[in-house]
């Protein structure tokens, strides 16, 4: 299906599979007039093993508040059309389009790898982001439980973490997370893009509905878990008019903190997003893309550190000012720093004490 574009698949956001940018030869589909809308096949999700030799990824980006993360899955069935992680599927010799939404990889050995890495001599504990690239609570987690197993290790070793999700499945682990929260070991950020159910269904077809995500905030907060809202991404013209209402709804639900990221369109994402706009909002497509370019120095993307998360120019500055004013008006109290002092190496937990038991 590489190179195929223009057909909308039920429950999927991408309209096709743009060619892998690393391939020397690209194929393009041609409409010969014989295909019909009802001929479009329903795409099934496949799962394959990710045989990575490590599970913690380190970064030196000044744009993110953590230097390490764990992503239990590669690819994401939520299918968010704007996802900045889509281009990573090109490294797997797949397309960032429908392949990213349907051909997923999981790490069955994640727990053993995590224990090994946390046991290394000289490991320095610092907050670890879970699901920073692709959602750790996407539908496959119900069956596989990789994220749950990772959290159990982090709880055992008293290792602090931040979880980023737009899935209601996180409620399954409420008891575990509440225990970690009692030791200052966890914060949850619920990603919320829009309050418009129809827009969300088109833009994030297999993620939880916006109102369901607000309920997640409410339930986690009731369990004593620090939870915030991440307005991400803010899409110029399409979702930015909702910013104040979205933050107010999250605050009412119990969110303690708030953040935002302006939509960025690296590599193939810009083509995917443009095609999605044409398929779903053709009359607004030009307006949206012009606004995107206005926040990116005339281009669809500006990859510079310090700029890529918030954009530049008058429109980007206005969105940033609106966010700051809304957060101040709504009195988000913010979160305490996570506890890094209680960490215990997995190796230390296995060492017997003087009476022959383990720690």
């Amino acid at each position: 299906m590489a190179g195929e574009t223009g057909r909308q698949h039920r429950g999927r956001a991408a309209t096709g599979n743009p060619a892998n940018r690393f391939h020397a030869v690209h194929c393009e589909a041609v409409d010969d007039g014989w295909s019909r809308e009802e001929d479009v096949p329903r795409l099934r999700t496949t799962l394959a093993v990710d045989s990575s030799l490590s599970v913690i990824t380190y970064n030196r980006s000044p744009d993110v508040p953590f230097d390490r993360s764990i992503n239990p899955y590669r690819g994401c069935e939520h299918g968010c059309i704007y996802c900045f992680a889509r281009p990573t599927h090109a490294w797997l010799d797949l397309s960032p389009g429908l392949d990213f939404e349907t051909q997923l990889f999981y790490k069955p050995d994640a727990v053993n790898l995590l224990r090994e890495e946390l046991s290394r001599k000289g490991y320095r504990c610092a907050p670890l982001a879970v699901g920073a690239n692709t959602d750790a609570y996407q539908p496959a987690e119900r069956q596989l439980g990789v994220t749950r197993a990772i959290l159990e290790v982090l709880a055992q070793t008293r290792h602090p973490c931040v979880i980023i999700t737009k899935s209601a499945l996180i409620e399954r682990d409420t008891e575990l997370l509440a225990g970690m929260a009692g030791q200052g070991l966890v914060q949850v950020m619920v990603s919320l893009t829009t309050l418009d159910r129809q827009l969300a269904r088109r833009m994030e077809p297999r993620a939880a509905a916006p109102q369901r995500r607000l309920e997640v905030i409410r339930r986690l907060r009731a369990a004593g878990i620090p939870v915030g809202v991440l307005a991400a991404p803010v899409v110029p013209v399409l979702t930015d008019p909702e910013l104040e209402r979205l933050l107010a709804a999250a605050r009412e639900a119990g969110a303690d903190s708030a953040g935002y990221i302006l939509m960025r369109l690296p590599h193939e994402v810009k083509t995917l997003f443009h095609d999605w706009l044409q398929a779903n909002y053709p009359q607004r497509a030009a307006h949206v893309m012009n606004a995107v370019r206005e926040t990116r120095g005339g281009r669809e993307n500006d990859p510079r550190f310090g700029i890529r998360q918030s954009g530049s120019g008058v429109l980007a500055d206005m969105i940033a000012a609106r966010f700051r004013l809304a957060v101040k008006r709504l009195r988000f109290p913010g979160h305490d720093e996570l506890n890094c002092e209680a960490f215990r190496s997995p190796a230390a937990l296995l060492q017997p004490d003087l009476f022959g038991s383990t720690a």
Side-chain angles (χ1 to χ4, degrees), residues 134-210:
T134 56
D135 206 309
Y137 282 102
Q138 58 183 285
E141 171 63 15
R142 288 188 188 275
Q143 169 191 347
L144 298 172
V146 180
T147 299
R148 170 74 187 201
I150 288 170
L151 291 176
E152 287 173 346
V153 172
L154 296 179
Q156 290 165 4
T157 58
R158 300 175 188 168
H159 195 296
C161 67
V162 177
I163 301 170
I164 306 164
T165 187
K166 57 184 63 172
S167 172
L169 182 56
I170 191 174
E171 292 176 356
R172 176 200 65 186
D173 297 332
T174 297
E175 185 176 351
L176 175 62
L177 296 174
M180 295 177 70
Q183 302 175 75
L185 297 175
V186 69
Q187 295 171 1
V188 175
M189 296 298 293
V190 175
S191 176
L192 189 59
T193 313
T194 177
L195 299 175
D196 184 329
R197 291 176 66 91
Q198 183 181 51
L199 173 57
R201 186 180 295 112
R202 293 177 176 180
M203 190 164 57
E204 311 158 329
R206 299 202 176 192

Side-chain angles (χ1 to χ4, degrees), residues 47-185:
L47 291 165
V49 170
D50 180 348
S51 55
S52 299
L53 299 179
S54 63
V55 72
I56 300 179
T57 300
Y58 291 88
N59 76 83
R60 297 181 179 177
S61 171
D63 292 330
V64 293
F66 53 84
D67 69 350
R68 65 201 68 185
S69 61
I70 291 180
N71 293 289
Y73 302 97
R74 300 178 79 171
C76 187
E77 196 173 359
H78 284 164
C80 305
I81 191 59
Y82 51 72
C83 183
F84 67 87
R86 283 180 176 272
T88 61
H89 244 45
W91 295 102
L92 303 174
D93 203 30
L94 295 169
S95 171
L98 290 167
D99 285 351
F100 179 82
E101 304 177 33
T102 60
Q103 298 191 41
L104 312 182
F105 296 80
Y106 69 101
K107 301 175 181 179
D109 203 29
V111 165
N112 292 331
L113 291 171
L114 179 57
R115 287 198 183 103
E116 179 183 322
E117 292 177 51
L118 296 183
S119 297
R120 286 176 183 164
K121 207 168 186 179
Y123 177 80
R124 180 183 59 83
C125 179
L128 194 157
V130 179
N133 213 37
T134 56
D135 206 309
Y137 282 102
Q138 58 183 285
E141 171 63 15
R142 288 188 188 275
Q143 169 191 347
L144 298 172
V146 180
T147 299
R148 170 74 187 201
I150 288 170
L151 291 176
E152 287 173 346
V153 172
L154 296 179
Q156 290 165 4
T157 58
R158 300 175 188 168
H159 195 296
C161 67
V162 177
I163 301 170
I164 306 164
T165 187
K166 57 184 63 172
S167 172
L169 182 56
I170 191 174
E171 292 176 356
R172 176 200 65 186
D173 297 332
T174 297
E175 185 176 351
L176 175 62
L177 296 174
M180 295 177 70
Q183 302 175 75
L185 297 175

